Amino acid sequence: MHPGSVAVVVAEDIGVPSWDLYELSIPCTVFGKPQADLADPWYDLRLCRMGTGQQDGSPADSGLSLRTRYGLDDLVGADTVIVPSVPDSFVDEGGPLPSALITALRQAYDAGARMVSLCTGAFALAEAGLLDGRRATAHWMHTAQLAERYPKVQVDDSVLYVDDGDVLTSAGLTAGLDLCLHLVRRDLGAHVANQLARRMVVPAHRPGGQAQFIDLSVPTTDDGSLGPVLDWARAHLDQPLAVGDLAQRAAMSPRTFHRRLQAATGTTPLQWLLNQRLARAQNLLESTDLPIEKVGELSGLGTANNLRHHFLKQLGVSPSAYRRAFPRTRPESSRSLPEGRSQGGEGRRTIDRGTSDALVTPRATGPDE
């Protein structure tokens, strides 16, 4: 499977300001460095400049110039097009974007490219009309401007990223990294995305529906107080787990455990466990030929029907279809676990399920579903 080409727009005519380097570096890091042991071939990365050649950033903006052989014409024909940011003058002052960029984005989309924006890059996709009628996001500091300027866009200012199939948008900074890892997960599977995230020393997957920021006026605790109990839970996903049991292991009341886990992860204990079990099931489907019933059992999702229900609801595909889409990347015994029992990975979309202390073996139906 070839993940295809990724064209990244360098959206500054006068150079790349230092404060935009982070968003630009994300796709370069995720898609630009070959990972032959994870997937071969890897992505084909192209940096596409908007200017006519190498230019110098002015001392005022502390910009860096970029030399690349690719221009906007190279967006057309790319499998994925990413706009990391647009000039501040366009976001804050309503200045114009180059018409050549808008034309190239439209042409790339019409040619079948998957269109992606990080942070203020959403303004370029919106200007090209590619977000009309779609749900989209950007950094929360700019979403009000995005919504006001483009009333046809359904702006969601509360999420990390939005996957609308062939058009994806993310909030700023680390949310852009979350979205790029999400793309790898879509293209090459959970195992490859998890291993890449591990090499980058970042969470394997934060759900797109997680809040962009947490109100720190709410009492919180450091992650270290939760780490041991969460690691223990990941190692015992195949067993019935009660929120009360996890709270007791963390030496907290269920109410305090719920509050601190939500502050640290943006999700509730019940949903966090479901996310981990789905990630475990993905790894098992990718890396073993275990029957669907056994995958449900080892992931803690219960029966094959329960597994199918949650896969369809959370991922939009059946377990069998998911397995067919991601052939095993390394040989495994049908009786072995792909990552070891402690490697549950990260989860999916966030859904508030309250503070119930019921046994966390998800059911196919019920008020929490």
Side-chain angles (χ1 to χ4, degrees), residues 129-141:
L130 304 183
L131 299 183
D132 288 356
R134 294 179 183 264
R135 180 167 162 261
T137 194
H139 193 291
W140 62 269
M141 292 181 65

Side-chain angles (χ1 to χ4, degrees), residues 52-118:
T52 57
Q54 182 179 5
Q55 302 184 30
D56 294 328
S58 66
D61 64 23
S62 302
L64 299 176
S65 59
L66 176 72
R67 185 189 300 275
T68 175
R69 61 191 177 95
Y70 296 110
L72 291 178
D73 290 344
D74 294 292
L75 297 184
V76 182
D79 297 293
T80 300
V81 172
I82 300 178
V83 186
S85 63
V86 297
D88 289 345
S89 59
F90 180 76
V91 177
D92 298 330
E93 304 165 17
L97 283 176
S99 59
L101 171 63
I102 302 306
T103 299
L105 292 174
R106 290 172 178 161
Q107 290 176 341
Y109 177 75
D110 290 341
R114 177 173 59 184
M115 309 299 291
V116 179
S117 67
L118 313 181

Side-chain angles (χ1 to χ4, degrees), residues 10-298:
V10 181
E12 286 283 352
D13 245 355
I14 60 171
V16 182
S18 57
W19 52 84
D20 283 340
L21 286 178
Y22 186 84
E23 277 89 2
L24 176 60
S25 70
I26 290 169
C28 294
T29 302
V30 173
F31 305 112
K33 182 178 180 180
Q35 307 284 345
D37 59 322
L38 297 181
D40 191 14
W42 194 248
Y43 295 87
D44 174 20
L45 180 70
R46 309 169 185 172
L47 295 181
C48 301
R49 68 179 186 273
M50 285 174 47
T52 57
Q54 182 179 5
Q55 302 184 30
D56 294 328
S58 66
D61 64 23
S62 302
L64 299 176
S65 59
L66 176 72
R67 185 189 300 275
T68 175
R69 61 191 177 95
Y70 296 110
L72 291 178
D73 290 344
D74 294 292
L75 297 184
V76 182
D79 297 293
T80 300
V81 172
I82 300 178
V83 186
S85 63
V86 297
D88 289 345
S89 59
F90 180 76
V91 177
D92 298 330
E93 304 165 17
L97 283 176
S99 59
L101 171 63
I102 302 306
T103 299
L105 292 174
R106 290 172 178 161
Q107 290 176 341
Y109 177 75
D110 290 341
R114 177 173 59 184
M115 309 299 291
V116 179
S117 67
L118 313 181
C119 195
T120 59
F123 284 81
L125 298 190
E127 184 72 10
L130 304 183
L131 299 183
D132 288 356
R134 294 179 183 264
R135 180 167 162 261
T137 194
H139 193 291
W140 62 269
M141 292 181 65
H142 305 300
T143 47
Q145 294 161 294
L146 182 66
E148 180 180 3
R149 195 174 303 177
Y150 304 101
K152 294 182 180 180
V153 182
Q154 301 169 21
V155 178
D156 189 337
D157 63 358
S158 65
V159 296
L160 294 178
Y161 58 84
V162 174
D163 181 343
D164 198 30
D166 56 348
V167 178
L168 302 92
T169 56
S170 84
L173 300 173
T174 56
L177 178 55
D178 293 320
L179 177 53
C180 287
L181 287 172
H182 173 71
L183 292 174
V184 174
R185 185 177 293 264
R186 269 183 48 172
D187 295 340
L188 299 173
H191 172 71
V192 173
N194 291 347
Q195 291 302 308
L196 180 61
R198 184 178 181 184
R199 292 175 185 184
M200 298 174 69
V201 199
V202 297
H205 189 260
R206 288 197 296 171
Q210 183 170 320
Q212 286 194 29
F213 64 94
I214 297 168
D215 184 354
L216 294 182
S217 63
V218 177
T220 62
T221 185
D222 58 24
D223 290 341
S225 64
L226 295 174
V229 69
L230 298 186
D231 288 342
W232 180 88
R234 290 189 188 98
H236 296 83
L237 292 174
D238 58 335
Q239 302 177 18
L241 298 175
V243 175
D245 295 337
L246 299 183
Q248 184 177 14
R249 182 171 287 272
M252 302 176 190
S253 69
R255 185 182 184 90
T256 298
F257 179 76
H258 177 277
R259 184 178 70 249
R260 292 188 176 182
L261 181 64
Q262 187 156 31
T265 68
T267 189
T268 64
L270 289 176
Q271 184 63 33
W272 182 87
L273 281 165
L274 177 59
N275 291 341
Q276 302 307 307
R277 285 177 162 145
L278 284 167
R280 170 67 57 77
Q282 285 181 281
N283 280 333
L284 290 169
L285 290 169
E286 291 177 24
S287 304
T288 77
D289 57 1
L290 291 167
I292 300 299
E293 291 79 4
K294 191 66 175 177
V295 171
E297 176 185 336
L298 291 175

